[in-house]
Amino acid sequence: MHSVTIYHNPACGTSRNTLELIRNSGIEPTVIHYLDTPPSREELIKLIADMGITTRALLRKNVEPYETLQLNDDQWNDEQLIDFMLKYPILINRPIVVTELGTKLCRPSEVVLDILPAAQKGTFTKEDGEQVIDANGKRIIK
């Protein structure tokens, strides 16, 4: 049995597509609705380290708190940015997927294919109509 966790926002198309790609591999992941149940400080720091990205790279820029708090200003250090993400979880970019093969910010949703421990079971078409998996479960490369 494979362990997969997704930090998910059901209102986000990319997050929904990622969740369905996981399920298309036959895996039912642990789904964490991170807006309702944000990660702890320690979990967030570990996720960032495991993804190998900067704290700033995890920030969502197109949401209200980002502009209001002037988070584009370099005055904020990583600890402060993490404080903001914990206080306003909408600032955490998503979806984040954790598997035994790695942890990734899955934007675009097909990034999840790089860390899924099981193959796709069949065709998959994203919500916008883009087919990413063919009938044989193989990734369509464009």
Side-chain angles (χ1 to χ4, degrees):
M1 192 80 181
H2 299 290
S3 174
V4 175
T5 300
I6 180 171
Y7 290 82
H8 179 58
N9 179 351
C12 170
T14 301
S15 197
R16 290 190 304 269
N17 284 323
T18 302
L19 177 58
E20 291 310 312
L21 278 165
I22 295 167
R23 288 177 171 155
N24 197 46
S25 72
I27 297 170
E28 184 55 39
T30 300
V31 178
I32 298 173
H33 292 96
Y34 76 96
L35 293 177
D36 301 324
T37 311
S40 69
R41 171 178 290 282
E42 294 75 24
E43 289 168 329
L44 187 56
I45 291 169
K46 182 173 180 3
L47 288 169
I48 292 166
D50 290 351
M51 286 185 283
I53 64 174
T54 65
T55 301
R56 191 166 287 283
L58 189 58
L59 275 175
R60 284 197 68 220
K61 296 173 178 63
N62 61 342
V63 292
E64 168 51 35
Y66 186 85
E67 290 295 324
T68 303
L69 297 168
Q70 300 178 336
L71 296 180
N72 59 330
D73 192 323
D74 289 338
Q75 72 172 320
W76 307 112
N77 65 34
D78 286 353
E79 289 300 313
Q80 292 168 314
L81 293 174
I82 287 169
D83 288 341
F84 286 126
M85 285 190 264
L86 294 172
K87 185 171 182 178
Y88 306 102
I90 193 71
L91 288 169
I92 301 171
N93 213 340
R94 80 301 178 162
I96 299 169
V97 177
V98 180
T99 78
E100 62 218 41
L101 300 177
T103 301
K104 294 263 188 193
L105 174 60
C106 294
R107 300 192 72 80
S109 55
E110 308 81 281
V111 169
V112 75
L113 298 171
D114 298 337
I115 60 168
L116 281 180
Q120 295 290 289
K121 302 291 186 198
T123 189
F124 181 80
T125 303
K126 290 173 29 173
E127 290 179 5
D128 66 4
E130 179 187 356
Q131 188 177 7
V132 292
I133 304 294
D134 68 19
N136 298 315
K138 301 292 181 214
R139 187 175 186 170
I140 298 170
I141 306 296
K142 296 185 181 201

